[in-house]
Amino acid sequence: MSKYHARKTVLDGITFDSGAEAARWSQLCLMERANLIHGLERQVPFQLVPGETGPDGKRLRPMRYVADFVYTDAEGREHVEDVKGVRTEAYKIKKRLMWHILGIAIEET
């Protein structure tokens, strides 16, 4: 069990961080089979800040956000989803950066 009481769940040979995430994946797969959405992907990375050299000369790693799911709906709109139980401070910052830098609103389920 994780720090936030989520339990890893295996569904169709895929390990998910929680039962809620596995359940949402199952729903989205059904929606894709029904042609309501397409291009369904999981664990999609978005770069928020590139890697760089800091003022002390040390290399700073890039900052990224990894979306639980990304897909396109029948009207052609892209959706970026995150299955959330606990909204950590790091998540809140990355959600804000996704909007500010990339113009992408994260949908929480």
Side-chain angles (χ1 to χ4, degrees), residues 14 50 56-57 68 96 98 102 107:
I14 303 169
D56 60 358
D68 289 335
R96 175 97 184 263
M98 283 285 286
L102 302 176
E107 301 169 29

Side-chain angles (χ1 to χ4, degrees), residues 35-38 71-77 79:
N35 292 319
L36 299 173
I37 64 171
H38 65 275
Y71 58 90
T72 304
D73 67 21
E75 288 78 38
R77 289 185 302 260
H79 295 262

Side-chain angles (χ1 to χ4, degrees), residues 67-90:
D68 289 335
F69 310 114
V70 175
Y71 58 90
T72 304
D73 67 21
E75 288 78 38
R77 289 185 302 260
E78 183 178 68
H79 295 262
V80 175
E81 282 192 15
D82 199 296
V83 178
K84 272 289 155 236
V86 176
R87 297 177 76 233
T88 64
E89 287 305 310

Side-chain angles (χ1 to χ4, degrees), residues 4-20:
Y4 300 107
H5 305 292
R7 291 199 171 145
K8 297 270 186 194
T9 302
V10 178
L11 176 68
D12 298 329
I14 303 169
T15 302
F16 294 90
D17 288 336
S18 68

